[in-house]
């Protein structure tokens, strides 16, 4: 937020798509985080809740994590190489409400463990190719999620997200990192 205010047109991130580097400005970065925060709030996520991210490194990972933090929730990264049982453990242990998945491979794990992870009410898929015929009612594409976030943002009091960020305790936990579990169950 501070960078978005101080140098909105400066480059915050670069990611490569089809061999071409694409820049993201600080303004666009902040706006994406804000939309995600509103979207998560619209899905019932609030302070102290957990949101898990099962994905490779990508800009959406950052938006999901920081959007959650902005409303007082905590991001929980899950190793994308984890088998379904390990994913179930982390989701269940953290009582995550929303799971962000990169693609069909990660969604397949989430669908397989649905009965073991009742706290997960929504699965947001960054790249939904291959999942369009899935019938799990929890599934939502990243684009659908952003649409929900923009609608919530339009309906909210102006400055709602900024006020939430300002009210955060800088000493409070903002994310949970689980160990790899090589010596037993992962520890958060």
């Amino acid at each position: 937020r501070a960078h978005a205010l101080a140098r909105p047109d400066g480059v915050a991130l670069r990611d490569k798509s089809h061999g071409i580097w694409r820049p993201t400005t600080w303004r666009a970065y902040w706006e994406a985080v804000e939309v995600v925060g509103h979207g998560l709030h619209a899905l019932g996520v609030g302070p102290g809740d957990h949101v898990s991210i099962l994905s490779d490194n990508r800009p959406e990972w950052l938006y999901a994590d920081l959007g959650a933090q902005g409303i007082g929730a905590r991001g929980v990264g899950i190793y994308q190489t984890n088998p379904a049982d390990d994913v179930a453990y982390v989701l269940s242990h953290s009582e995550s409400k929303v799971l962000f998945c990169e693609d069909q491979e990660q969604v397949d794990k989430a669908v397989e463990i649905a009965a073991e992870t009742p706290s997960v009410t929504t699965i947001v898929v960054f790249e939904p190719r291959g999942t369009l015929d899935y019938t799990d009612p929890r599934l939502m594409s990243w684009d659908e999620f952003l649409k929900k976030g923009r609608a919530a943002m339009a309906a909210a009091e102006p400055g709602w997200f900024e006020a939430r960020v300002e009210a955060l305790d800088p000493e409070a936990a903002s994310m949970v990192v689980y160990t790899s579990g090589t010596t037993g169950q992962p520890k958060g």
Side-chain angles (χ1 to χ4, degrees), residues 83-157:
D85 289 345
D86 291 349
V87 173
Y89 176 80
V90 172
L91 290 172
S92 178
H93 186 262
S94 67
E95 297 179 354
S96 289
K97 288 187 168 186
V98 175
L99 171 62
F100 290 91
C101 285
E102 179 166 5
D103 55 17
Q104 181 183 9
E105 179 182 358
Q106 305 308 335
V107 170
D108 287 346
K109 295 174 193 177
V111 170
E112 178 183 333
I113 59 173
E116 301 162 60
T117 57
S119 65
V120 177
T121 59
T122 306
I123 301 169
V124 179
V125 188
F126 297 144
E127 295 180 21
R129 185 179 58 237
T131 65
L132 300 178
D133 291 335
Y134 287 22
T135 58
D136 190 319
R138 302 171 303 160
L139 291 174
M140 172 186 297
S141 74
W142 176 249
D143 289 340
E144 290 173 302
F145 173 73
L146 293 179
K147 218 178 274 186
K148 180 180 275 296
R150 286 186 195 101
M153 192 170 162
E157 180 127 351

Side-chain angles (χ1 to χ4, degrees), residues 85-90 93 178-188:
D85 289 345
D86 291 349
V87 173
Y89 176 80
V90 172
H93 186 262
Y178 277 80
T179 63
S180 62
T182 55
T183 60
Q185 290 290 8
K187 295 158 193 66

Side-chain angles (χ1 to χ4, degrees), residues 3-171:
H3 288 295
L5 292 171
R7 49 186 175 164
D9 297 321
V11 175
L13 303 169
R14 285 188 177 87
D15 70 303
K16 193 180 269 191
S17 177
H18 304 291
I20 298 171
W21 286 100
R22 297 177 307 176
T24 301
T25 64
W26 285 105
R27 176 188 296 118
Y29 192 176
W30 168 254
E31 289 170 358
V33 168
E34 187 175 14
V35 168
V36 169
H38 279 277
L40 287 170
H41 181 71
L43 292 174
V45 176
D49 287 335
H50 293 100
V51 170
S52 288
I53 308 165
L54 181 57
S55 172
D56 287 330
N57 187 13
R58 58 187 300 139
E60 295 89 346
W61 203 110
L62 300 169
Y63 307 151
D65 185 48
L66 293 175
Q69 288 183 38
I71 61 171
R74 294 182 198 99
V76 178
I78 303 176
Y79 297 103
Q80 67 275 18
T81 55
N82 277 4
D85 289 345
D86 291 349
V87 173
Y89 176 80
V90 172
L91 290 172
S92 178
H93 186 262
S94 67
E95 297 179 354
S96 289
K97 288 187 168 186
V98 175
L99 171 62
F100 290 91
C101 285
E102 179 166 5
D103 55 17
Q104 181 183 9
E105 179 182 358
Q106 305 308 335
V107 170
D108 287 346
K109 295 174 193 177
V111 170
E112 178 183 333
I113 59 173
E116 301 162 60
T117 57
S119 65
V120 177
T121 59
T122 306
I123 301 169
V124 179
V125 188
F126 297 144
E127 295 180 21
R129 185 179 58 237
T131 65
L132 300 178
D133 291 335
Y134 287 22
T135 58
D136 190 319
R138 302 171 303 160
L139 291 174
M140 172 186 297
S141 74
W142 176 249
D143 289 340
E144 290 173 302
F145 173 73
L146 293 179
K147 218 178 274 186
K148 180 180 275 296
R150 286 186 195 101
M153 192 170 162
E157 180 127 351
W160 177 86
F161 186 74
E162 271 189 341
R164 298 292 289 259
V165 170
E166 285 294 322
L168 293 172
D169 175 0
E171 300 297 319

